[in-house]
Amino acid sequence: MTGTVFVLNGPNLNMLGQREPGIYGGKGLAEIGEECRKAGVKSDLTVDFRQTNHEGVLVDWIQEAADGAEGIVINPGAYTHTSVAIHDALRAVGKPVIELHLSNIFAREAFRHHSYVSPVATGVICGLGPAGYILALSAMKQLIAARS
Ligand code: CA2
């Protein structure tokens, strides 16, 4: 069973590894993307790993997943806490969605405790650093298999 999974990353995640290593670790996003692609090969999943700083681009990619992917892993960055547009797009997509955060958003500032994404996600992973991406792909593999 093969399938494409979109791994979508929101604003400022392109800065990983360059600043704030105490919160987000020392790995850059390119390295995390490479690890995701390798994990995908082992699980027979094609990982389409992307990052944008723009909310509307994330909405476009979520809509694209309706026909172009079997599931979405998304780290929406700060849009997690603000975006009704991303909530609406994920609600409409009709595919499994895993919300992912590198940091434990519940152990941080109060404004990070609310997510517009969690109510429309199949599951949520947070606080496990880059390993969370690999765990999310493993969970997504099972979610996709359960639907086919
Ligand atoms: O923990 C996560 O993965 C977050 O989604 C990361 C977002 C943050 O706004 C969320 O509350 C939690 C921030 C993205 C990364 O921001 C950086 C800023 C400067 C340097 C490195 C990363």
Side-chain angles (χ1 to χ4, degrees):
M1 191 265 312
T2 61
T4 297
V5 176
F6 283 4
V7 180
L8 306 181
N9 295 280
N12 292 309
L13 285 157
N14 56 312
M15 303 290 285
L16 284 180
Q18 298 172 37
R19 306 228 175 93
E20 310 234 52
I23 299 174
Y24 300 116
K27 262 184 201 170
L29 196 65
E31 193 180 344
I32 294 172
E34 200 43 49
E35 289 175 0
C36 284
R37 276 184 282 273
K38 283 184 185 153
V41 168
K42 284 186 193 158
S43 309
D44 206 13
L45 292 174
T46 302
V47 173
D48 192 335
F49 192 94
R50 308 180 185 183
Q51 188 274 332
T52 178
N53 290 327
H54 304 281
E55 184 177 16
V57 174
L58 281 171
V59 170
D60 288 344
W61 288 347
I62 293 163
Q63 291 180 4
E64 186 186 331
D67 291 325
E70 302 306 316
I72 301 173
V73 175
I74 184 164
N75 183 346
Y79 291 139
T80 305
H81 318 298
T82 63
S83 180
V84 176
I86 290 171
H87 170 107
D88 288 346
L90 290 171
R91 180 184 284 281
V93 75
K95 298 287 163 78
V97 172
I98 298 179
E99 176 186 355
L100 170 73
H101 302 284
L102 292 155
S103 63
N104 179 355
I105 56 176
F106 302 103
R108 300 184 63 192
E109 304 96 321
F111 66 83
R112 295 186 204 273
H113 296 180
H114 177 263
S115 167
Y116 281 95
V117 172
S118 299
V120 289
T122 313
V124 182
I125 294 173
C126 81
L128 301 176
Y133 283 81
I134 307 303
L135 293 167
L137 287 169
S138 169
M140 183 58 75
K141 172 85 182 169
Q142 293 181 41
L143 289 169
I144 293 167
R147 282 161 59 91
S148 61

